[in-house]
């Protein structure tokens, strides 16, 4: 079987895979990193979003072998080593941006990609950016609020939609 | 998914050679092909990934002013790199699916697949673009041949798409909110020698040019030129999202919006 090597959250990771092994499967089953969730497995829900060379991608819709040599970032690498949450995670907690938490890893990784590209997004820009991340619990309102707060913007004025 | 071999060459020549094997298939961004494989609707013996081929990635300007987009260029790259030269094309790419889809999906994959509701085919057809492959150049008018059908031969690779840049253009799509594909999408492009209008999402035979609208807009490039006009409902897609009559009506509405928005 082919061997694949990449960097995951700054550390080298490798393993044997098949051609058809998805990146999400490699992360969850080979590396045991189950923070990346698989909700739909059909490219719709975004629970499996990770970063590959800095870009948000759906890891259920990419083969592990396509990530050969790549720099991969997952939810496990977002908090500091001592467990201190990063600004986006802390804002999700503070603003109740999650209920069951299933969509949250993907939401946080998408939010991180958005804020890197657009540090002060408008509410409409946040909602548009999250079009590929589905949440069946929150109604999105507090997720949007958390992301706006994480970007350092005042969230008092965000209206429920 | 059925099992397959996987190869990731770094040149078009090596990819073409690998694709010469029986039942080998190209892999672009995988945003259409991977879901297809998961459903076991395809059974390639080998996937030849095009993602490692630097020569088919990126956006550049040709000597004649045309915008050249490499066949392996992602939607996200087109959205940012075509902005200055062909803003309507950049905007189309920036509204395909969602950010994660745009970071993987490629123009070559989109036009090779030729989904009747895909966005890119309308830009390629309305711009009178040239599809360049590892073997030949194909005019847009000859390239799209109906539902999921193109002029591509087995194993042929889209290496570049060359877009003549219009004076004004706009793509407007009426989004099917669940899939984010076009329920109806219209690309309007005004060139010195006339206007081209391509419609996606609507017809049972895939993307098409709406010639009555082209004639009306070529003499008067204004939304009013299309007042009361809609293509015939005959041959339009009818499904749970919209009837054929509804789609035909939408084509007129969306075309007028595209003309109003053209810049
Ligand atoms: C959630 C979601 C939403 C989407 N929304 C939209 C939308 O709004 N509008 C839209 O237009 N599309 C949409 N898409 C489709 C998306 O644009 C795909 O990226 C695109 O259709 C296929 O491109 P790909 O590079 O991923 O190709 P792949 O999936 O890798 O391949 C598709 C087909 O093209 C062939 N192929 C790939 N590259 C080449 C090449 N260079 N030369 C020859 N053949 C090639 C493959 O063999 C395969 O048959 C969406 C997809 C998803 C998952
Ligand atoms: S699990 Fe990947 S998009 Fe839903
Ligand atoms: S918090 Fe439950 S799916 Fe989003």
């Amino acid at each position: 079987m082919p061997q694949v090597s990449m960097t995951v959250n700054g550390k080298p990771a490798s393993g044997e895979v098949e051609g058809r092994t998805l990146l999400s499967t490699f992360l969850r089953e080979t590396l045991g990193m189950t923070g990346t969730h698989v909700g739909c497995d059909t490219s719709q829900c975004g629970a499996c979003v990770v970063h590959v060379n800095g870009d948000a991608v759906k890891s259920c819709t990419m083969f592990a072998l396509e990530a050969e040599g790549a720099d991969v970032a997952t939810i496990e690498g977002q908090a500091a080593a001592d467990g201190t949450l990063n600004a986006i995670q802390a804002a999700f907690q503070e603003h109740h941006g999650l209920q069951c938490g299933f969509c949250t890893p993907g939401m946080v990784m998408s939010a991180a990609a958005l804020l890197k590209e657009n540090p002060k997004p408008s509410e409409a820009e946040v909602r548009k950016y999250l079009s590929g991340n589905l949440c069946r619990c929150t109604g999105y309102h507090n997720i949007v609020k958390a992301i706006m707060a994480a970007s350092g913007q005042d969230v008092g004025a965000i209206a429920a939609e | 998914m059925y099992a397959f071999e996987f190869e990731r060459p770094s040149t078009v020549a090596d990819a073409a050679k690998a694709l010469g094997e029986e039942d080998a298939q190209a892999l672009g961004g995988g945003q259409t092909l991977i879901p297809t494989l998961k459903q076991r609707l395809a059974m390639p013996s080998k996937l030849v990934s095009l993602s490692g081929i630097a020569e088919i990635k990126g956006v550049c300007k040709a000597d004649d002013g045309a915008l050249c987009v490499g066949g392996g260029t992602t939607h996200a790259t087109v959205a940012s790199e075509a902005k200055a030269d062909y803003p309507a094309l950049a905007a189309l790419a920036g509204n395909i699916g969602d950010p994660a889809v745009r970071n993987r999906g490629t123009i070559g994959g989109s036009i090779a697949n030729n989904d009747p509701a895909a966005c890119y085919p309308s830009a390629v057809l309305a711009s009178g673009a040239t599809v360049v492959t590892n073997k030949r150049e194909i005019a847009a008018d000859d390239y799209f041949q109906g539902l999921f059908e193109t002029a591509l031969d087995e194993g042929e690779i889209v290496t570049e798409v060359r877009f003549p840049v219009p004076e004004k253009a706009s793509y407007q799509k009426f989004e099917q909110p669940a899939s984010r594909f076009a329920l109806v999408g219209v690309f309007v492009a005004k060139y010195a020698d006339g206007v081209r209008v391509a419609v996606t999402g609507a017809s049972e035979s895939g993307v098409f040019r709406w010639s009555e609208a082209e004639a009306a807009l070529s003499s008067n490039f204004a939304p009013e030129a299309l007042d009361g006009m809609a293509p015939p409902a005959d041959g339009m897609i009818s499904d749970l999202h919209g009837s054929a009559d509804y789609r035909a009506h939408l084509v007129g509405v969306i075309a007028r919006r595209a003309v109003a928005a053209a810049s």
Side-chain angles (χ1 to χ4, degrees):
Chain A
M1 277 205 295
Q3 182 83 13
V4 67
S5 304
M6 61 190 84
T7 304
V8 180
N9 300 327
K11 296 196 197 86
S14 58
E16 276 194 348
V17 292
E18 289 185 274
R20 61 183 167 175
T21 304
L22 299 166
L23 180 57
S24 53
T25 311
F26 178 73
L27 292 170
R28 290 176 55 85
E29 295 176 17
T30 309
L31 303 183
M33 296 170 70
T34 53
T36 298
H37 289 172
V38 176
C40 63
D41 210 15
T42 59
S43 340
Q44 303 295 321
C45 77
C48 65
V49 168
V50 301
H51 298 184
V52 174
N53 295 329
D55 294 330
V57 305
K58 292 176 176 171
S59 60
C60 78
T61 312
M62 176 170 175
F63 293 117
L65 285 168
E66 289 276 88
E68 172 64 38
D71 207 346
V72 177
T74 73
I75 190 68
E76 284 92 344
Q78 294 296 297
D82 67 358
T84 308
L85 301 181
N86 76 8
I88 297 170
Q89 292 172 305
F92 268 69
Q93 186 178 55
E94 166 77 17
H95 296 278
H96 301 282
L98 64 152
Q99 288 179 21
C100 79
F102 194 84
C103 69
T104 314
M107 289 288 180
V108 169
M109 296 312 287
S110 281
L114 166 65
L115 297 185
K116 192 173 61 144
E117 159 187 325
N118 182 357
K120 297 270 182 243
S122 67
E123 182 186 345
E125 285 169 339
V126 174
R127 287 185 187 276
K128 180 159 190 255
Y129 198 88
L130 294 182
S131 61
N133 289 85
L134 305 183
C135 173
R136 48 184 194 168
C137 302
T138 64
Y140 303 96
H141 181 56
N142 287 350
I143 292 175
V144 176
K145 211 169 174 176
I147 296 171
M148 298 290 285
S151 73
Q153 302 186 79
D154 180 18
V155 293
I158 294 176
E161 202 178 86
Chain B
M1 268 183 275
Y2 297 107
F4 48 78
E5 276 180 71
F6 189 89
E7 202 170 315
R8 198 160 173 245
S10 55
T11 65
V12 170
D14 286 346
K17 203 161 129 203
L19 285 168
E21 290 172 35
E22 200 173 330
D23 296 328
Q25 189 173 359
L27 173 70
Q31 302 302 292
T32 296
L33 185 54
I34 294 176
T36 309
L37 291 167
K38 285 181 180 176
Q39 293 182 308
R40 294 193 161 185
L41 293 174
M43 206 173 123
S45 57
K46 173 185 267 189
L47 279 195
V48 181
S49 166
L50 306 177
S51 69
I53 308 179
E55 62 186 296
I56 62 166
K57 287 189 195 177
V59 176
C60 69
K61 202 116 189 240
D63 293 342
D64 65 357
L67 192 76
C68 303
V69 180
T73 312
T74 63
H75 309 331
T77 299
V78 174
S80 58
E81 291 185 11
K83 217 176 201 165
D85 291 311
Y86 196 164
L89 183 71
L92 174 148
N95 278 311
I96 291 176
D98 57 61
V101 167
R102 296 195 287 274
N103 281 333
R104 296 291 305 163
T106 65
I107 188 169
S110 179
I111 68 167
N113 191 50
N114 193 19
D115 187 298
C119 300
Y120 263 129
S122 69
V124 173
L125 190 58
S127 308
T130 304
V131 178
V132 184
T133 77
N134 57 321
K135 294 185 186 159
R136 57 192 166 136
E137 299 191 352
I138 311 168
D141 284 316
D142 304 322
Y143 178 85
F144 298 102
Q145 303 190 341
L147 229 48
F148 298 104
E149 292 288 333
T150 69
L152 293 177
D153 292 333
E154 201 80 23
E156 195 169 356
I157 303 168
V158 175
T159 54
E160 185 175 274
V161 184
R162 249 180 246 152
F163 294 90
V165 178
E167 294 168 358
K168 284 182 170 189
S170 174
Y171 174 69
Q172 297 290 316
K173 96 167 145 173
F174 191 87
E175 207 171 282
Q176 203 274 77
S179 75
R180 299 184 279 283
F181 276 79
L183 189 65
V184 164
V186 180
F187 200 109
V188 171
K190 180 179 186 294
Y191 289 90
D193 59 353
V195 177
R196 289 172 67 108
V197 179
V199 178
T200 186
S203 166
E204 281 175 338
S205 26
V207 68
F208 69 94
R209 283 175 68 185
W210 184 15
S211 34
E212 291 80 9
E214 292 184 349
L217 292 171
S218 294
S219 51
N220 175 21
F221 192 75
E224 303 78 62
L226 302 180
D227 272 351
M229 283 175 66
D234 229 24
M236 293 285 168
I237 298 169
S238 211
D239 59 19
L240 79 166
H241 306 296
S243 66
D245 284 333
Y246 179 67
R247 276 193 168 78
H249 174 74
L250 261 190
V251 172
V253 174
I254 301 299
R256 282 189 284 280
R257 284 188 196 169
V259 177
S263 58

